[in-house]
Amino acid sequence: MKKVVLLLIVICLIMTSFSALSYADDGIKIKINGYYADYDVMPVIINSRTLVPMRGIFEALGAKVGWIDYSKTVTGTRNNKTVKLKIDDNLAYIDGEETILDVPATIINGRTMVPVRFISERLGVFIYL
């Protein structure tokens, strides 16, 4: 009887672990304008902040993106509002007004990654994670 109970417990544990794996999240999902975004470099979490590829998010919002190589600065313009961030710098500029970032823009696999909450709040756009 003990062997049967032990066998049932083992089977239950195995089935539970497989079902947990099948429902596991395969990454951070970003929803913009009702569609899930897919990037060549997927979003990451750094210091409790979600960073997304700036070009990918701005282009999904219909914004123009620029890069100034000598200063490693990225700009994004949408609806006459300009966001300017320098790589590895906690300062950002919205229409020339300085603001402090919790996590600076950084480069991961050749893509400029920016905090999605900062972009969303500054541009007045709702982006869902």
Side-chain angles (χ1 to χ4, degrees):
M1 181 70 177
K2 287 182 182 181
K3 289 182 181 181
V4 172
V5 171
L6 183 60
L7 182 61
L8 286 174
I9 291 172
V10 170
I11 290 172
C12 287
L13 287 173
I14 290 172
M15 291 177 66
T16 304
S17 66
F18 282 125
S19 65
L21 289 176
S22 65
Y23 294 110
D25 189 10
D26 57 63
I28 302 166
K29 300 201 185 306
I30 308 293
K31 192 172 189 179
I32 303 171
N33 295 329
Y35 298 97
Y36 285 103
D38 190 28
Y39 306 109
D40 57 345
V41 176
M42 292 306 291
V44 296
I45 296 176
I46 298 176
N47 294 335
S48 301
R49 298 290 183 228
T50 302
L51 277 68
V52 296
M54 186 167 178
R55 179 172 300 278
I57 197 167
F58 267 73
E59 288 178 351
L61 296 171
K64 293 182 182 179
V65 179
W67 172 257
I68 304 167
D69 195 40
Y70 71 89
S71 65
K72 297 199 183 304
T73 302
V74 65
T75 61
T77 305
R78 179 180 183 265
N79 295 336
N80 296 319
K81 193 170 266 203
T82 300
V83 176
K84 184 176 175 182
L85 301 110
K86 187 174 180 180
I87 301 301
D88 297 325
D89 191 344
N90 282 59
L91 294 179
Y93 299 88
I94 307 296
D95 293 332
E97 184 179 326
E98 185 178 281
T99 187
I100 297 174
L101 296 168
D102 292 335
V103 176
T106 189
I107 296 177
I108 298 176
N109 294 330
R111 296 287 180 248
T112 301
M113 306 294 280
V114 296
V116 69
R117 182 176 178 184
F118 169 78
I119 299 297
S120 175
E121 288 176 351
R122 300 302 179 195
L123 294 179
V125 177
F126 293 103
I127 299 172
Y128 300 97
L129 301 177

